[in-house]
Short mmCIF file of all heavy atoms in Angstrom, two decimals:
data_model
loop_
_atom_site.label_atom_id
_atom_site.label_comp_id
_atom_site.label_asym_id
_atom_site.label_seq_id
_atom_site.Cartn_x
_atom_site.Cartn_y
_atom_site.Cartn_z
N VAL B 806 0.82 -1.10 -0.06
CA VAL B 806 -0.05 0.07 -0.02
C VAL B 806 0.84 1.25 -0.03
O VAL B 806 0.66 2.22 -0.75
CB VAL B 806 -1.00 -0.03 1.18
CG1 VAL B 806 -1.69 1.44 1.34
CG2 VAL B 806 -2.02 -1.14 1.09
N GLY B 807 1.97 1.13 0.86
CA GLY B 807 2.75 2.41 0.95
C GLY B 807 3.55 2.72 -0.50
O GLY B 807 3.66 3.72 -0.95
N LYS B 808 4.06 1.54 -1.01
CA LYS B 808 4.86 1.66 -2.22
C LYS B 808 4.08 1.92 -3.51
O LYS B 808 4.51 2.78 -4.34
CB LYS B 808 5.56 0.24 -2.36
CG LYS B 808 6.63 0.45 -3.49
CD LYS B 808 7.42 -1.01 -3.66
CE LYS B 808 7.76 -1.69 -2.48
NZ LYS B 808 8.54 -2.95 -2.76
N LEU B 809 2.94 1.30 -3.72
CA LEU B 809 2.21 1.34 -5.00
C LEU B 809 0.96 2.19 -5.01
O LEU B 809 0.52 2.49 -5.91
CB LEU B 809 2.00 -0.08 -5.35
CG LEU B 809 3.05 -1.01 -5.79
CD1 LEU B 809 2.58 -2.34 -6.16
CD2 LEU B 809 4.05 -0.37 -6.79
N TYR B 810 0.39 2.51 -3.74
CA TYR B 810 -0.86 3.18 -3.71
C TYR B 810 -0.74 4.42 -2.78
O TYR B 810 -1.74 4.85 -2.24
CB TYR B 810 -1.96 2.28 -3.12
CG TYR B 810 -2.08 1.14 -4.10
CD1 TYR B 810 -1.56 -0.08 -3.96
CD2 TYR B 810 -3.01 1.32 -5.23
CE1 TYR B 810 -1.81 -1.15 -4.92
CE2 TYR B 810 -3.24 0.24 -6.08
CZ TYR B 810 -2.61 -0.95 -5.89
OH TYR B 810 -2.82 -1.97 -6.75
N ASP B 811 0.41 4.95 -2.68
CA ASP B 811 0.68 6.14 -1.87
C ASP B 811 0.19 6.14 -0.51
O ASP B 811 -0.37 7.15 0.07
CB ASP B 811 0.15 7.45 -2.53
CG ASP B 811 0.62 7.60 -3.93
OD1 ASP B 811 1.87 7.51 -4.13
OD2 ASP B 811 -0.23 7.77 -4.91
N GLY B 812 0.19 4.92 0.06
CA GLY B 812 -0.42 4.80 1.52
C GLY B 812 -1.89 4.77 1.62
O GLY B 812 -2.32 4.81 2.75
N SER B 813 -2.47 4.72 0.54
CA SER B 813 -3.99 4.84 0.52
C SER B 813 -4.65 3.46 0.22
O SER B 813 -4.60 2.91 -0.80
CB SER B 813 -4.39 5.84 -0.61
OG SER B 813 -5.75 5.82 -0.71
N ILE B 814 -5.22 2.90 1.38
CA ILE B 814 -6.06 1.64 1.20
C ILE B 814 -7.17 1.68 0.35
O ILE B 814 -7.52 0.83 -0.44
CB ILE B 814 -6.40 1.21 2.66
CG1 ILE B 814 -5.12 0.82 3.55
CG2 ILE B 814 -7.35 0.00 2.56
CD1 ILE B 814 -5.45 0.47 4.96
N ASP B 815 -7.71 2.94 0.28
CA ASP B 815 -8.85 3.14 -0.66
C ASP B 815 -8.45 2.91 -2.22
O ASP B 815 -9.22 2.38 -3.03
CB ASP B 815 -9.74 4.35 -0.39
CG ASP B 815 -8.95 5.66 -0.54
OD1 ASP B 815 -7.69 5.59 -0.23
OD2 ASP B 815 -9.45 6.65 -0.96
N LYS B 816 -7.24 3.29 -2.52
CA LYS B 816 -6.72 3.22 -3.79
C LYS B 816 -6.48 1.69 -4.14
O LYS B 816 -6.83 1.31 -5.21
CB LYS B 816 -5.49 4.05 -4.06
CG LYS B 816 -5.67 5.51 -4.14
CD LYS B 816 -4.40 6.18 -4.40
CE LYS B 816 -4.52 7.71 -4.51
NZ LYS B 816 -3.23 8.35 -4.57
N LEU B 817 -5.91 0.97 -3.16
CA LEU B 817 -5.75 -0.40 -3.37
C LEU B 817 -7.10 -1.20 -3.56
O LEU B 817 -7.26 -1.93 -4.48
CB LEU B 817 -5.12 -1.10 -2.17
CG LEU B 817 -5.02 -2.53 -2.03
CD1 LEU B 817 -4.27 -3.20 -3.18
CD2 LEU B 817 -4.42 -3.06 -0.69
N PHE B 818 -8.13 -0.81 -2.74
CA PHE B 818 -9.43 -1.37 -2.79
C PHE B 818 -10.13 -1.07 -4.15
O PHE B 818 -10.74 -1.99 -4.78
CB PHE B 818 -10.24 -0.84 -1.63
CG PHE B 818 -11.63 -1.64 -1.44
CD1 PHE B 818 -11.49 -2.85 -0.81
CD2 PHE B 818 -12.75 -1.20 -2.03
CE1 PHE B 818 -12.76 -3.59 -0.60
CE2 PHE B 818 -13.94 -1.89 -1.88
CZ PHE B 818 -13.92 -3.08 -1.12
N ALA B 819 -9.90 0.24 -4.64
CA ALA B 819 -10.54 0.55 -5.88
C ALA B 819 -9.85 -0.14 -6.97
O ALA B 819 -10.53 -0.56 -8.00
CB ALA B 819 -10.33 2.10 -6.08
N SER B 820 -8.55 -0.45 -6.94
CA SER B 820 -7.79 -1.25 -7.90
C SER B 820 -8.33 -2.66 -7.89
O SER B 820 -8.60 -3.24 -9.09
CB SER B 820 -6.34 -1.14 -7.56
OG SER B 820 -5.63 -2.00 -8.53
N LEU B 821 -8.52 -3.32 -6.74
CA LEU B 821 -8.99 -4.63 -6.67
C LEU B 821 -10.47 -4.70 -7.20
O LEU B 821 -10.96 -5.63 -7.93
CB LEU B 821 -8.97 -5.15 -5.26
CG LEU B 821 -7.65 -5.41 -4.57
CD1 LEU B 821 -7.72 -5.76 -3.32
CD2 LEU B 821 -6.87 -6.50 -5.45
N ALA B 822 -11.29 -3.79 -6.86
CA ALA B 822 -12.69 -3.72 -7.17
C ALA B 822 -12.91 -3.45 -8.62
O ALA B 822 -13.83 -3.94 -9.30
CB ALA B 822 -13.45 -2.66 -6.33
N GLY B 823 -11.88 -2.78 -9.29
CA GLY B 823 -11.99 -2.49 -10.78
C GLY B 823 -11.45 -3.61 -11.60
O GLY B 823 -11.63 -3.47 -12.85
N ARG B 824 -10.93 -4.65 -11.04
CA ARG B 824 -10.55 -5.70 -11.99
C ARG B 824 -11.61 -6.49 -12.59
O ARG B 824 -12.64 -6.71 -12.08
CB ARG B 824 -9.63 -6.71 -11.07
CG ARG B 824 -8.42 -6.20 -10.51
CD ARG B 824 -7.72 -7.29 -9.67
NE ARG B 824 -7.52 -8.44 -10.46
CZ ARG B 824 -6.41 -9.04 -10.63
NH1 ARG B 824 -5.32 -8.57 -10.01
NH2 ARG B 824 -6.24 -10.14 -11.40
N ARG B 825 -11.40 -6.70 -13.90
CA ARG B 825 -12.51 -7.34 -14.65
C ARG B 825 -12.39 -8.82 -14.57
O ARG B 825 -13.36 -9.55 -14.95
CB ARG B 825 -12.23 -6.94 -16.09
CG ARG B 825 -12.27 -5.41 -16.39
CD ARG B 825 -13.08 -5.14 -17.45
NE ARG B 825 -13.04 -3.74 -17.81
CZ ARG B 825 -13.89 -2.79 -17.28
NH1 ARG B 825 -14.79 -3.14 -16.53
NH2 ARG B 825 -13.87 -1.56 -17.64
N ASP B 826 -11.43 -9.46 -13.96
CA ASP B 826 -11.38 -10.88 -13.86
C ASP B 826 -11.88 -11.46 -12.55
O ASP B 826 -11.58 -12.57 -12.32
CB ASP B 826 -9.98 -11.29 -14.27
CG ASP B 826 -8.83 -10.93 -13.25
OD1 ASP B 826 -9.10 -9.89 -12.62
OD2 ASP B 826 -7.71 -11.40 -13.30
N LEU B 827 -12.34 -10.65 -11.75
CA LEU B 827 -12.98 -11.17 -10.48
C LEU B 827 -14.31 -11.90 -10.75
O LEU B 827 -15.11 -11.48 -11.56
CB LEU B 827 -13.32 -9.94 -9.52
CG LEU B 827 -12.04 -9.14 -8.99
CD1 LEU B 827 -12.56 -7.95 -8.22
CD2 LEU B 827 -11.16 -10.01 -8.09
N SER B 828 -14.36 -12.97 -9.91
CA SER B 828 -15.60 -13.75 -10.12
C SER B 828 -16.68 -12.92 -9.36
O SER B 828 -16.57 -12.08 -8.48
CB SER B 828 -15.39 -15.15 -9.43
OG SER B 828 -15.31 -14.91 -8.07
N ALA B 829 -17.96 -13.39 -9.61
CA ALA B 829 -19.11 -12.78 -8.85
C ALA B 829 -19.01 -12.97 -7.34
O ALA B 829 -19.31 -12.07 -6.62
CB ALA B 829 -20.39 -13.50 -9.35
N GLY B 830 -18.46 -14.17 -6.92
CA GLY B 830 -18.33 -14.44 -5.60
C GLY B 830 -17.30 -13.47 -4.95
O GLY B 830 -17.31 -13.02 -3.77
N GLN B 831 -16.18 -13.19 -5.67
CA GLN B 831 -15.07 -12.40 -5.14
C GLN B 831 -15.65 -10.93 -5.02
O GLN B 831 -15.43 -10.17 -4.08
CB GLN B 831 -13.86 -12.33 -6.02
CG GLN B 831 -13.14 -13.71 -6.05
CD GLN B 831 -12.14 -13.83 -7.07
OE1 GLN B 831 -12.27 -13.45 -8.24
NE2 GLN B 831 -10.95 -14.36 -6.66
N ILE B 832 -16.43 -10.56 -5.98
CA ILE B 832 -17.02 -9.15 -5.96
C ILE B 832 -17.91 -9.01 -4.78
O ILE B 832 -17.94 -8.08 -4.08
CB ILE B 832 -17.74 -8.90 -7.33
CG1 ILE B 832 -16.73 -8.69 -8.41
CG2 ILE B 832 -18.56 -7.57 -7.26
CD1 ILE B 832 -17.34 -8.65 -9.85
N GLU B 833 -18.66 -10.06 -4.54
CA GLU B 833 -19.67 -10.00 -3.49
C GLU B 833 -18.85 -9.99 -2.17
O GLU B 833 -19.26 -9.25 -1.19
CB GLU B 833 -20.52 -11.23 -3.40
CG GLU B 833 -21.73 -11.12 -2.50
CD GLU B 833 -22.59 -10.04 -2.74
OE1 GLU B 833 -22.88 -9.53 -3.96
OE2 GLU B 833 -22.98 -9.34 -1.70
N ARG B 834 -17.78 -10.63 -2.15
CA ARG B 834 -16.93 -10.70 -0.74
C ARG B 834 -16.33 -9.22 -0.56
O ARG B 834 -16.31 -8.79 0.62
CB ARG B 834 -15.84 -11.63 -0.97
CG ARG B 834 -14.88 -11.80 0.36
CD ARG B 834 -15.66 -12.23 1.57
NE ARG B 834 -14.73 -12.13 2.69
CZ ARG B 834 -15.02 -11.68 3.85
NH1 ARG B 834 -16.16 -11.18 4.07
NH2 ARG B 834 -14.13 -11.53 4.71
N LEU B 835 -15.91 -8.56 -1.61
CA LEU B 835 -15.29 -7.22 -1.47
C LEU B 835 -16.40 -6.28 -1.07
O LEU B 835 -16.23 -5.38 -0.13
CB LEU B 835 -14.65 -6.71 -2.83
CG LEU B 835 -13.45 -7.32 -3.31
CD1 LEU B 835 -13.02 -6.89 -4.65
CD2 LEU B 835 -12.36 -6.94 -2.22
N LYS B 836 -17.58 -6.38 -1.53
CA LYS B 836 -18.81 -5.58 -1.10
C LYS B 836 -19.07 -5.89 0.39
O LYS B 836 -19.30 -4.96 1.23
CB LYS B 836 -20.02 -5.91 -1.96
CG LYS B 836 -19.99 -5.31 -3.28
CD LYS B 836 -21.26 -5.73 -4.11
CE LYS B 836 -21.11 -5.32 -5.49
NZ LYS B 836 -22.37 -5.79 -6.20
N GLN B 837 -19.02 -7.18 0.80
CA GLN B 837 -19.20 -7.46 2.13
C GLN B 837 -18.18 -6.88 3.03
O GLN B 837 -18.51 -6.31 4.17
CB GLN B 837 -19.25 -8.99 2.35
CG GLN B 837 -19.51 -9.48 3.73
CD GLN B 837 -19.50 -11.02 3.87
OE1 GLN B 837 -19.33 -11.68 2.88
NE2 GLN B 837 -19.59 -11.58 5.02
N ILE B 838 -16.93 -6.92 2.75
CA ILE B 838 -15.83 -6.26 3.44
C ILE B 838 -16.06 -4.87 3.58
O ILE B 838 -15.96 -4.27 4.68
CB ILE B 838 -14.52 -6.62 2.81
CG1 ILE B 838 -14.09 -8.06 2.89
CG2 ILE B 838 -13.37 -5.76 3.47
CD1 ILE B 838 -12.97 -8.55 2.06
N ALA B 839 -16.36 -4.16 2.57
CA ALA B 839 -16.65 -2.72 2.64
C ALA B 839 -17.81 -2.41 3.50
O ALA B 839 -17.71 -1.51 4.25
CB ALA B 839 -16.87 -2.19 1.11
N LYS B 840 -18.81 -3.19 3.49
CA LYS B 840 -20.10 -3.00 4.33
C LYS B 840 -19.70 -3.19 5.83
O LYS B 840 -20.12 -2.38 6.75
CB LYS B 840 -21.13 -3.93 3.93
CG LYS B 840 -22.41 -3.61 4.51
CD LYS B 840 -23.55 -4.46 3.95
CE LYS B 840 -24.90 -3.76 4.17
NZ LYS B 840 -25.86 -4.39 3.26
#
């Protein structure tokens, strides 16, 4: 996070959330984590 995302966890999360190769289950899990 410090090296690639300027210390910003939200930038890391946005990067993960924006991946097109995530399964529906993985997307749902990210939403659950955010909630």
Side-chain angles (χ1 to χ4, degrees):
V806 170
K808 190 186 311 182
L809 298 179
Y810 296 96
D811 303 319
S813 173
I814 291 174
D815 56 328
K816 286 182 182 178
L817 169 64
F818 192 83
S820 176
L821 292 172
R824 293 182 56 130
R825 303 224 185 270
D826 59 345
L827 292 175
S828 69
Q831 289 170 320
I832 292 169
E833 193 55 42
R834 179 67 182 131
L835 286 173
K836 288 178 183 177
Q837 181 183 357
I838 291 167
K840 192 172 202 161

